[in-house]
Amino acid sequence: PEVDNGKVGAIGYCMGGRMAYLAAAEAGVDVAVAYYGGGIHQQLARAANVACPIQFHYAGHDEHIPPAAVDAVRAAFAGRAAEVLTYGQAHHGFNCWARGSYDPASSALAHGRSLSFLAQALWEAETPT
């Protein structure tokens, strides 16, 4: 009853990003957004299970997630309802204002993209024009 339209989205940061991905692959959420989710590239065998729209946000300079890992995610989701976005000057944790790696410009851009993506997947299809 707490879910107004019966749809559920998952969003997570860092390890939570990996959990959002796994929720899309295994828990049947309607949309997922993963911020710099470490280890996703090691669980791409589950990518075929993702039936919902999914959005990934990665830092351009991530000491924990190498470019090859991001490329593997991009390849696994090519041609699907997925977006793999990178923020060139950002570092891991760019969305967390409590970290030295906080990047306000990348954070704001990613936040706006996330809200638009979630709104489209969760609400826009039901809003009369």
Side-chain angles (χ1 to χ4, degrees), residues 36 92-104 107:
Y36 35 85
H92 190 85
F94 68 84
N95 199 64
C96 180
W97 58 86
R99 291 180 163 204
S101 60
Y102 177 59
D103 182 323
S107 177

Coordinates of all heavy atoms in Angstrom, one line a residue, residues 36 92-104 107:
Y36 N 28.6 4.1 -9.3 CA 30.0 3.5 -9.1 C 29.9 2.2 -8.3 O 30.6 2.1 -7.3 CB 31.0 4.5 -8.5 CG 30.4 5.5 -7.5 CD1 30.2 5.2 -6.2 CD2 30.0 6.8 -8.0 CE1 29.7 6.2 -5.3 CE2 29.5 7.7 -7.1 CZ 29.4 7.4 -5.8 OH 28.9 8.3 -4.9
H92 N 36.0 8.1 -7.7 CA 35.0 7.3 -7.0 C 34.4 8.0 -5.8 O 35.1 8.7 -5.1 CB 35.8 6.0 -6.5 CG 34.9 5.0 -5.9 ND1 34.3 4.0 -6.7 CD2 34.4 4.7 -4.7 CE1 33.5 3.3 -6.0 NE2 33.6 3.7 -4.7
G93 N 33.1 7.9 -5.7 CA 32.5 8.6 -4.6 C 32.1 10.1 -4.9 O 31.8 10.8 -4.0
F94 N 32.1 10.4 -6.2 CA 31.9 11.8 -6.6 C 30.6 12.4 -6.1 O 30.4 13.6 -6.1 CB 32.1 12.0 -8.1 CG 31.0 11.3 -8.9 CD1 29.8 11.9 -9.2 CD2 31.2 10.1 -9.5 CE1 28.8 11.3 -10.0 CE2 30.3 9.4 -10.3 CZ 29.1 10.1 -10.5
N95 N 29.6 11.5 -5.8 CA 28.3 12.0 -5.4 C 28.2 12.2 -3.9 O 27.2 12.7 -3.4 CB 27.2 11.1 -5.9 CG 25.9 11.8 -5.9 OD1 25.7 12.7 -6.7 ND2 24.9 11.3 -5.1
C96 N 29.2 11.9 -3.1 CA 29.1 12.0 -1.6 C 29.8 13.3 -1.1 O 31.0 13.4 -1.2 CB 29.7 10.7 -1.0 SG 29.7 10.8 0.8
W97 N 29.0 14.2 -0.7 CA 29.5 15.5 -0.2 C 30.4 15.4 1.0 O 31.2 16.3 1.3 CB 28.4 16.5 0.0 CG 27.4 16.0 1.1 CD1 27.5 16.2 2.4 CD2 26.2 15.3 0.8 NE1 26.5 15.6 3.1 CE2 25.6 15.1 2.1 CE3 25.6 14.9 -0.3 CZ2 24.4 14.4 2.2 CZ3 24.4 14.2 -0.1 CH2 23.8 14.0 1.1
A98 N 30.5 14.2 1.7 CA 31.3 14.0 2.9 C 32.7 13.5 2.5 O 33.5 13.3 3.4 CB 30.6 13.1 3.8
R99 N 33.0 13.3 1.2 CA 34.3 12.8 0.8 C 35.1 13.9 0.1 O 34.5 14.8 -0.5 CB 34.1 11.6 -0.3 CG 33.5 10.4 0.3 CD 33.3 9.4 -0.8 NE 33.2 8.1 -0.2 CZ 33.4 6.9 -0.8 NH1 33.9 7.0 -2.1 NH2 33.3 5.8 -0.2
G100 N 36.4 13.7 0.1 CA 37.3 14.6 -0.6 C 37.1 14.5 -2.1 O 37.4 15.4 -2.9
S101 N 36.5 13.4 -2.6 CA 36.3 13.1 -4.0 C 35.0 13.7 -4.5 O 34.7 13.6 -5.7 CB 36.4 11.6 -4.3 OG 35.3 11.0 -3.6
Y102 N 34.3 14.4 -3.6 CA 33.0 15.0 -4.1 C 33.2 16.0 -5.2 O 34.1 16.8 -5.2 CB 32.3 15.7 -2.9 CG 31.1 16.4 -3.2 CD1 30.0 15.8 -3.8 CD2 31.0 17.8 -3.0 CE1 28.8 16.4 -4.1 CE2 29.8 18.5 -3.3 CZ 28.7 17.8 -3.8 OH 27.5 18.4 -4.1
D103 N 32.4 15.8 -6.3 CA 32.5 16.7 -7.4 C 31.1 17.2 -7.7 O 30.3 16.6 -8.2 CB 33.0 15.8 -8.6 CG 33.2 16.7 -9.9 OD1 32.4 17.6 -10.1 OD2 34.1 16.4 -10.7
P104 N 30.9 18.5 -7.2 CA 29.6 19.1 -7.3 C 29.0 19.1 -8.7 O 27.8 18.8 -8.9 CB 29.7 20.5 -6.8 CG 31.0 20.5 -6.1 CD 31.9 19.4 -6.7
S107 N 28.1 15.5 -9.7 CA 27.1 15.0 -8.8 C 25.7 15.6 -9.3 O 24.7 14.9 -9.4 CB 27.3 15.5 -7.4 OG 26.3 15.1 -6.5

